Amino acid sequence: MKHAFTFLIGVTVSAGALPALAQSGNLDLPKSIVAGSAFSIQSTSSAQGVLYIVGPGQVLKRDVQPGQPITIAAGDLDCAGHYLAVLTSGSSTETGEFDVVPGSQPATLSFLAKPSRLPVGLQSGISGAVYIFDAFQNLITAPTPVSFQLSIPSEATQSRTVVSRQGAAWTDMNSGSKDGNAKFVAQAGDVSATRVIQQVPGDPCGLKMSAKKVGEQIQLETDPLRDCSGNAVTDGTIVTFTESWNGGQTTVDVPLKHGIAQAEVPAYNGARISVATGVVMGNEIRWANQ
Amino acid sequence: MIRPLVILLAAFAASGAFGADQASVQIEPTTLQGPRPLAKETATAVVRDYLEAWQSLSAALEQNRTDLLNQDFVGTAKDKFAETIEEQQKLGIRTRYQERSHDIRIIFYSPEGLSVELEDNIAYDVQLLDHNKVQTTQLVRARYVAVLTPAEVRWRVRVLQADSN
């Protein structure tokens, strides 16, 4: 090198960084530094200069004094990425490149769990995806084990462990057989994130109604509606009663209340009365006035 | 899911001021982890918005204007690049990023469809200016990972980070 000023740069890493030296450009720089680590660059130059460390995620500028180390304090360079180092002095410019890598210890998880509400008994109905970040919000791209757990009251906990790829990991789970809130937990290292999944009853199983005459009306009432796992179907679910007679038809939609649906329809002799909710058909009654 | 091989070689005008070259863009076959299929239209939109984000970032870092990040960045990425710009302003420096080439592969589409991750082997020139004096111009090759999330009408970059793994 024929420069007016010559810098000899040595590197010492004081905390956590890996001093795997690699020749890059004119500067000897560490191949990689762990984000947030302190390190220093020893200059044996006899002239003043300026050191720039440049990347899209962070820039640093330090004056270089003759014979003094250039100190990058802990936390000064914490954004993971690829950096260009430029050392200028007078007409002399030396450059090098190095990486700042994320810390290996997860500090936060971005956990996306869907859906927030679903029926019981769905295979692979719940999905969860996480992105893993270190303490400086760098995406940890090194493979990292992530455990997912879905805890449902009075049922066995479902567990999966997935190794992340490029900072992301995902899984799916089955919804349980009992309604209620399930806790969906993702954990990597010492950090975890929890989402609550509301499990609601599935479609009614075995819709059945009975009828009795009250004055000039027929009073219709369903048995308590339950799904195929025995969970009470949610109040508010619409039940439709249909009465057909001599070419006429009456339809009554009523919401489920305390697990049953009730309605009154005119008492036409010979009427056929059916009941349904959603895609589930119930029994049919043929009415005969006595 | 491994989709059929689709190689699209395209070029787009880079916005950098120190060169009129166009960056070449290569899209590698998608090798997705995750159960959700990625529609071609979605992949196209993601790549388009990602490339536009690079142009916005280049302009923002060159002009030291954080407002240029608003359209294409969100969350951590936006915060970090805004901090870089503020630091550049304090130090009296500017940086110009002139993309030469992108080699992009979409690698993850989250099951609920709310994020896409891609990797990009990119080559770009970096020019460093201190008080408008050019200090150096260097060609840099790096591998980036990016996470994009959908906004109202476009995908925005939430994570953009060079990665040595």
Side-chain angles (χ1 to χ4, degrees):
Chain A
M1 295 292 302
K2 294 181 179 177
H3 291 297
F5 304 94
T6 302
F7 289 89
L8 177 61
I9 302 298
V11 177
T12 57
V13 179
S14 59
L18 300 173
L21 292 176
Q23 188 73 35
S24 179
N26 299 329
L27 292 177
D28 277 336
L29 293 166
K31 184 178 179 186
S32 63
I33 298 283
V34 175
S37 297
F39 64 102
S40 60
I41 301 171
Q42 182 67 48
S43 168
T44 57
S45 166
S46 58
Q48 290 187 337
V50 178
L51 174 73
Y52 304 89
I53 295 176
V54 176
Q58 204 166 351
V59 293
L60 297 176
K61 180 180 174 183
R62 295 285 190 273
D63 290 331
V64 179
Q65 300 299 329
Q68 297 295 313
I70 307 162
T71 302
I72 308 298
D76 277 2
L77 191 60
D78 59 20
C79 184
H82 189 76
Y83 287 86
L84 179 66
V86 182
L87 185 57
T88 64
S89 179
S91 60
S92 159
T93 300
E94 293 178 273
T95 63
E97 296 175 35
F98 66 100
D99 291 309
V100 173
V101 299
S104 58
Q105 187 63 38
T108 58
L109 299 179
S110 174
F111 183 23
L112 305 166
K114 287 281 181 178
S116 58
R117 188 170 185 266
L118 84 166
V120 298
L122 276 188
Q123 296 290 309
S124 301
I126 300 169
S127 69
V130 297
Y131 291 96
I132 311 165
F133 296 91
D134 70 5
F136 301 105
Q137 287 297 301
N138 299 306
L139 186 67
I140 300 177
T141 52
T144 305
V146 180
S147 73
F148 294 93
Q149 285 196 331
L150 185 70
S151 305
I152 302 167
S154 72
E155 290 188 26
T157 297
Q158 298 177 56
S159 297
R160 308 249 197 293
T161 298
V162 179
V163 176
S164 68
R165 291 171 56 189
Q166 303 300 330
W170 72 277
T171 192
D172 55 27
M173 300 278 190
N174 306 326
S175 61
S177 60
K178 297 296 180 191
D179 61 351
N181 289 338
K183 269 176 53 179
F184 195 12
V185 179
Q187 180 166 6
D190 297 329
V191 63
S192 65
T194 302
R195 301 290 180 265
V196 173
I197 308 287
Q198 187 184 11
Q199 298 190 145
V200 298
D203 288 332
C205 208
L207 175 59
K208 187 179 178 192
M209 69 173 166
S210 56
K212 64 180 180 183
K213 190 169 184 185
V214 177
E216 298 301 312
Q217 302 281 306
I218 305 169
Q219 188 178 70
L220 304 170
E221 182 176 304
T222 64
D223 289 352
L225 261 65
R226 296 190 177 278
D227 67 11
C228 295
S229 300
N231 301 296
V233 173
T234 311
D235 278 1
T237 301
I238 298 297
V239 175
T240 302
F241 296 97
T242 303
E243 181 187 35
S244 303
W245 77 98
N246 290 340
Q249 183 170 292
T250 298
T251 300
V252 182
D253 292 329
V254 293
L256 210 59
K257 191 172 179 183
H258 302 306
I260 62 173
Q262 292 178 314
E264 288 187 353
V265 295
Y268 295 113
N269 194 35
R272 301 167 74 94
I273 304 167
S274 62
V275 63
T277 178
V279 296
V280 178
M281 294 293 296
N283 60 318
E284 185 176 278
I285 294 173
R286 186 173 185 91
W287 184 257
N289 283 328
Q290 298 169 356
Chain B
M1 176 184 170
I2 298 176
R3 293 176 63 83
L5 180 70
V6 178
I7 303 264
L8 171 64
L9 193 61
F12 71 99
S15 63
F18 71 110
D21 292 344
Q22 292 188 324
S24 66
V25 179
Q26 180 158 323
I27 315 297
E28 299 292 344
T30 298
T31 53
L32 281 184
Q33 60 157 330
R36 191 181 183 89
L38 181 66
K40 184 181 174 186
E41 293 77 10
T42 304
T44 301
V46 166
V47 171
R48 178 199 63 212
D49 294 344
Y50 169 74
L51 292 171
E52 288 181 9
W54 262 103
Q55 295 192 23
S56 299
L57 178 61
S58 299
L61 290 169
E62 180 180 353
Q63 300 170 41
N64 279 341
R65 286 177 53 192
T66 56
D67 61 296
L68 296 179
L69 301 171
N70 293 341
Q71 178 177 276
D72 298 299
F73 292 93
V74 69
T76 305
K78 184 179 173 184
D79 294 344
K80 288 188 173 185
F81 296 141
E83 285 177 18
T84 302
I85 290 168
E86 288 165 5
E87 194 63 21
Q88 285 190 167
Q89 287 174 326
K90 278 196 284 186
L91 297 173
I93 67 177
R94 293 187 292 132
T95 46
R96 292 173 174 163
Y97 289 81
Q98 169 85 53
E99 303 138 79
R100 289 193 181 195
S101 65
H102 292 272
D103 189 356
I104 298 168
R105 184 193 303 270
I106 295 177
I107 56 176
F108 180 55
Y109 189 23
S110 59
E112 75 298 319
L114 293 178
S115 68
V116 168
E117 185 178 22
L118 57 82
E119 61 182 5
D120 181 12
N121 288 298
I122 184 171
Y124 53 76
D125 292 310
V126 184
Q127 191 173 71
L128 169 65
L129 300 95
D130 191 341
H131 294 90
N132 295 323
K133 181 186 174 190
V134 175
Q135 300 297 318
T136 189
T137 303
Q138 295 290 321
L139 171 63
V140 171
R141 296 180 194 278
R143 176 181 173 278
Y144 275 77
V145 292
V147 177
L148 293 90
T149 55
E152 295 80 9
V153 294
R154 63 188 301 111
W155 290 82
R156 285 187 173 147
V157 175
R158 188 169 288 272
V159 174
L160 179 61
Q161 172 181 310
D163 177 54
S164 58
N165 282 321

